[in-house]
Amino acid sequence: MVKALILCSVSLSLLLLFQLFSICGNAKNTKLVPALYIFGDSTVDAGNNNNLSTTARAISLPYGIDFNHTATGRFTNGLTVPDYFARFLGLPFAPPYMNLSELERRTTTTGLNFASASSGILPETGSFTGSPLTLDNQTDLFKITAKTLDVQNIKVHLAKSIFFISIGSNDYIMNYRNIASKMNKLFSPDYFAKFLTEELVKRLKKLYLIGARKFVVTGLGPVGCIPAIAKSTPHEGDCAESFNQALLSYNKELFMKLSKLQSQLYGSFFVHTDTFKFLHELKENKEKYGITDTQNACWDGKHDPCAVVVLTSHQYALP
Ligand SMILES: *[C@@H]1O[C@H](CO)[C@@H](O)[C@H](O)[C@H]1NC(C)=O
Ligand SMILES: *[C@@H]1O[C@H](CO)[C@@H](O)[C@H](O)[C@H]1NC(C)=O
Ligand SMILES: *[C@@H]1O[C@H](CO)[C@@H](O)[C@H](O)[C@H]1NC(C)=O
Ligand SMILES: *[C@@H]1O[C@H](CO)[C@@H](O)[C@H](O)[C@H]1NC(C)=O
């Protein structure tokens, strides 16, 4: 605790900031940036799917048990990573765009959330749950928003704001496995990783053209360890390692592409988060973090609401 306090009082680089925002509060409660804009899938959706025609919804407990016991549409027991981030930045939680009125969409200048559970980088990825917002939908809606946002200087506003993008797992869960089983030779993990990251880069460039400059792009976590995936994939050990290897291929490729992008796009800044390493560390040292079970979903009811979520301690530990 003492150590954390000392760390929190020094000025932080973005990288350090990212490691520390979950344990540090923003004591002064001043805004560190004007706004936080969020794009992605269920890892960061804050309720958009409640207002869309899709079956991918987190509308009942145990979702939200630590969010004032309310299932808001977040696919987690409590806060999402961008919620913690917003808190650290001195901003309110970015509200889900689909739940706002036209007026609120223009006047909410501290950030908006466009993320939609079950979506992927590829437009077709989420379609089996209905019509979630594809990543293209999300960037299109953001473009419309940027045109009407109630700020004095939109260019400065966007350049100073942070763009948080967390997406790609569903392209593996829902697309890659199907494609790979059909076209194993044509779609090697490396080939798919190159293809998918290239598709993501196209959308990141779109955001840059609208005015985004500061990006946080998450790598993929160990999806092969998600209970529903591990249980439906033949494997030895705790996790579907072949699946995890494919994701590591993606993470490596993403890291290289983001570095390249930063050198290509004038004034841009990219932070790549190593979600895989972070969650792997939690899993391997679960006792240290107070986690009791990393093998089973937290709820074994008829559906499995904990199968595809940000992995937090509660999701592991629930009876
Ligand atoms: C949606 O908007 C209503 C009305 O403002 C609000 O009460 C509710 O909490 C919002 N839901 C989410 C998930 O943000
Ligand atoms: C829970 O409710 C309290 C009181 O209304 C509020 O201050 C707090 O922000 C809420 N917690 C979350 C996670 O929304
Ligand atoms: C979104 O859906 C919720 C219930 O799911 C509803 O209360 C709210 O009015 C809807 N918001 C909009 C903007 O349609
Ligand atoms: C998402 O994109 C599709 C394809 O362009 C379009 O038909 C649909 O209306 C969009 N959805 C929203 C909510 O903008």
Side-chain angles (χ1 to χ4, degrees):
M1 196 63 210
V2 171
K3 199 171 164 199
L5 284 174
I6 292 166
L7 282 170
C8 296
S9 64
V10 301
S11 72
L12 305 169
S13 73
L14 244 188
L15 260 181
L16 252 184
L17 178 155
F18 198 77
Q19 286 167 356
L20 292 176
F21 68 76
S22 59
I23 50 168
C24 302
N26 175 356
K28 287 181 192 150
N29 215 18
T30 51
K31 284 198 284 175
L32 299 182
V33 298
L36 176 63
Y37 293 99
I38 298 153
F39 303 82
D41 56 23
S42 62
T43 53
V44 293
D45 188 347
N48 278 314
N49 278 17
N50 296 353
N51 296 94
L52 289 164
S53 168
T54 166
T55 53
R57 290 182 177 190
I59 45 174
S60 55
L61 299 177
Y63 291 122
I65 47 169
D66 298 317
F67 200 105
N68 287 337
H69 226 72
T70 310
T72 57
R74 286 170 172 79
F75 287 69
T76 167
N77 56 293
L79 304 187
T80 62
V81 171
D83 289 333
Y84 285 107
F85 203 13
R87 202 180 252 180
F88 176 77
L89 294 169
L91 297 169
F93 298 155
Y97 177 87
M98 294 307 298
N99 190 37
L100 299 182
S101 66
E102 290 295 330
L103 180 66
E104 287 169 323
R105 286 170 186 177
R106 289 202 303 274
T107 56
T108 307
T109 58
T110 49
L112 293 165
N113 185 322
F114 298 90
S116 180
S118 80
S119 69
I121 294 166
L122 305 177
E124 57 271 37
T125 289
S127 55
F128 88 102
T129 73
S131 307
L133 297 176
T134 64
L135 188 54
D136 287 325
N137 284 143
Q138 297 178 33
T139 54
D140 288 349
L141 293 172
F142 175 67
K143 189 172 181 180
I144 296 168
T145 309
K147 283 191 180 133
T148 58
L149 204 64
D150 194 8
V151 291
Q152 279 192 342
N153 187 332
I154 186 71
K155 207 174 158 213
V156 171
H157 172 86
L158 295 180
K160 287 187 169 175
S161 295
I162 293 182
F163 290 74
F164 192 104
I165 299 107
S166 177
I167 199 155
S169 309
N170 293 325
D171 295 290
Y172 278 91
I173 297 170
M174 295 161 190
N175 248 336
Y176 171 69
R177 291 205 301 179
N178 300 337
I179 295 169
S181 62
K182 278 189 219 141
M183 311 165 67
N184 217 354
K185 278 176 195 148
L186 293 175
F187 258 42
S188 71
D190 283 351
Y191 181 86
F192 192 67
K194 283 199 170 72
F195 166 67
L196 202 54
T197 48
E198 199 52 58
E199 291 298 308
L200 177 59
V201 162
K202 283 183 199 164
R203 275 82 180 179
L204 294 176
K205 283 183 177 166
K206 273 206 240 172
L207 291 175
Y208 177 85
L209 287 176
I210 301 167
R213 292 295 178 270
K214 297 179 166 71
F215 298 84
V216 176
V217 186
T218 63
L220 302 181
V223 171
C225 302
I226 293 176
I229 302 292
K231 288 189 168 121
S232 63
T233 311
H235 67 281
E236 289 174 13
D238 291 354
C239 307
E241 286 306 334
S242 59
F243 208 81
N244 282 348
Q245 285 308 316
L247 299 165
L248 284 172
S249 202
Y250 172 95
N251 287 344
K252 199 169 138 215
E253 193 62 36
L254 178 66
F255 183 78
M256 291 191 301
K257 287 225 168 71
L258 294 182
S259 311
K260 195 166 151 209
L261 211 48
Q262 180 166 300
S263 64
Q264 285 172 345
L265 303 179
Y266 179 76
S268 68
F269 188 78
F270 286 85
V271 171
H272 165 268
T273 74
D274 196 344
T275 312
F276 197 102
K277 194 172 161 195
F278 170 68
L279 289 175
H280 202 259
E281 156 75 12
L282 279 185
K283 184 176 181 311
E284 291 307 303
N285 300 290
K286 56 179 195 282
E287 293 83 8
K288 190 170 142 194
Y289 298 99
I291 296 165
T292 53
D293 185 352
T294 59
Q295 303 286 318
N296 300 292
C298 65
W299 189 57
D300 61 356
K302 198 168 160 207
H303 306 291
D304 197 350
C306 314
V308 186
V309 289
V310 178
L311 307 174
T312 66
S313 59
H314 268 88
Q315 279 141 3
Y316 283 117
L318 271 181

